[in-house]
Amino acid sequence: MANLLIVDDEKNIRHSLTTFFASLGHPAREAESGPQAIALLAEGPADIVLTDFRMAEMTGLELLREIKRRSPDSLVILMTAYGTVANAVEAMKAGAYDYVTKPFSLEQIRHTVDRALQTRALQTENEALRSAIGEEPMFESQSPVMRRLLETARQAAASGATILLTGESGTGKNVLARQIHRWSGRAAHPFVTVNCTTLAEELLESELFGHVRGAFTGAVKDKPGRLEAAHGGTVFLDEIADLTPALQTKFLRFLQDQSFERVGGEHTIRVDARIIAASNRDLEGEIAAHRFREDLYYRLNVITLRVPPLRERRDDIPALAQWLLKIAAIRNSRPRIDISLEAAEALTRYRWPGNVRELRNAIERGVVLMRGDTIRPEDLPDTLFRCALETVGAPISGSLDDVEREHIVRILGASATLEEAADRLGINVTTLWRKRKRYKIE
């Protein structure tokens, strides 16, 4: 159930929408003008606001801006019979969730509202997770290689340079891209993600650049693309190697002069958006195989950051595991959860070919399948369960720090030199020395 506010100077439209959404279980209030809508919002916020574009006293665009100032979490959908490209672009830049043109069917507006409610639910969940968990430990790393990466990323964020993120799948390239945006001077503007692997070429082109009415079957109105939505902010292109040759050419032009035309359009649009691209492939190899444009690669390759796999930052596994455990507990409405020593040690010993994504899934599985309030090896995926069965030594009790200390003591006892122990632990000698000092290991 969501709270809606319908704003339109036409009484029949207000009543029709209010009655329709009430029948779906969504209570809706009505306002015949912008000032009346603001007065109602002062009495109580709305999850979704549907407002007409052209009204007396205050336009829908002016109301949108006032709503974003007073209640930035409310999602606003503009309705108008005067649909123009300029209005659509201006509304999206001002923060509108979507833009619908009259006349529309009740099912069309229902579909738009349903999508908005899904977005609102995700926003609410993310806000709860952020407030409960705080900053992700990925950005408080104990690993030298990760610390060096983060230092470079902070410096790069302050510039306007294009950034290319490389690394294996599941290492957190998308998380780092979002953090770079937060560190940058564009943080107050949109961060827009485009996944280049999920859509067919025609749909991806429309998603990225937008389209004009009649450009293809189903294009019933002009629609701004993701680049326009990101004006002033950042566009993150995930798995850019999957762009087709034609899209590579069109995107190269955008990188060169920040301009493009919508699908089926002739009007040139200029957008100020910073580009962060990511790929888990060897782009130089893709160039050699004639699957990726060399000139596009050099346009992207202004600052390249390699995100290390989890096996190269084992120092971070205990903190990451605890953080992911807290997230999984919140998402699954579970009380405080502990992890047994055997399960925790299996996490530190495993090589994690799927990286942080695999660790997250393993923790999630443990939370869902555990009996009682403790995750045990049998609750983890089979690969980690076997790793736990191979663990040598008598069981001990304690936290993940206790697990790490005991594991270091065992490896030191079984190694001839510090260098050998560090190699077996997957860390360098300096880190091992620091951990010995931290855990008071002689």
Side-chain angles (χ1 to χ4, degrees), residues 352-384:
W352 299 107
N355 296 298
V356 179
R357 183 182 296 135
E358 186 182 7
L359 174 61
R360 180 193 64 202
N361 292 342
I363 295 293
E364 187 91 23
R365 172 192 166 105
V367 170
V368 172
L369 297 183
M370 72 178 198
R371 299 171 180 84
D373 59 359
T374 302
I375 296 177
R376 305 190 181 281
E378 56 267 27
D379 303 322
L380 299 173
D382 290 344
T383 49
L384 275 85

Side-chain angles (χ1 to χ4, degrees), residues 220-269:
V220 296
K221 64 175 183 177
D222 292 349
K223 182 175 176 59
R226 297 291 184 90
L227 290 176
E228 287 174 81
H231 182 72
T234 303
V235 178
F236 173 55
L237 279 87
D238 198 9
E239 301 307 339
I240 194 168
D242 286 332
L243 286 180
T244 62
L247 282 181
Q248 289 179 34
T249 300
K250 190 168 183 177
F251 188 67
L252 174 62
R253 181 207 162 185
F254 172 75
L255 284 178
Q256 290 170 335
D257 56 20
Q258 298 275 287
S259 68
F260 59 90
E261 289 81 35
R262 290 179 179 171
V263 177
E266 297 179 353
H267 176 65
T268 297
I269 298 170

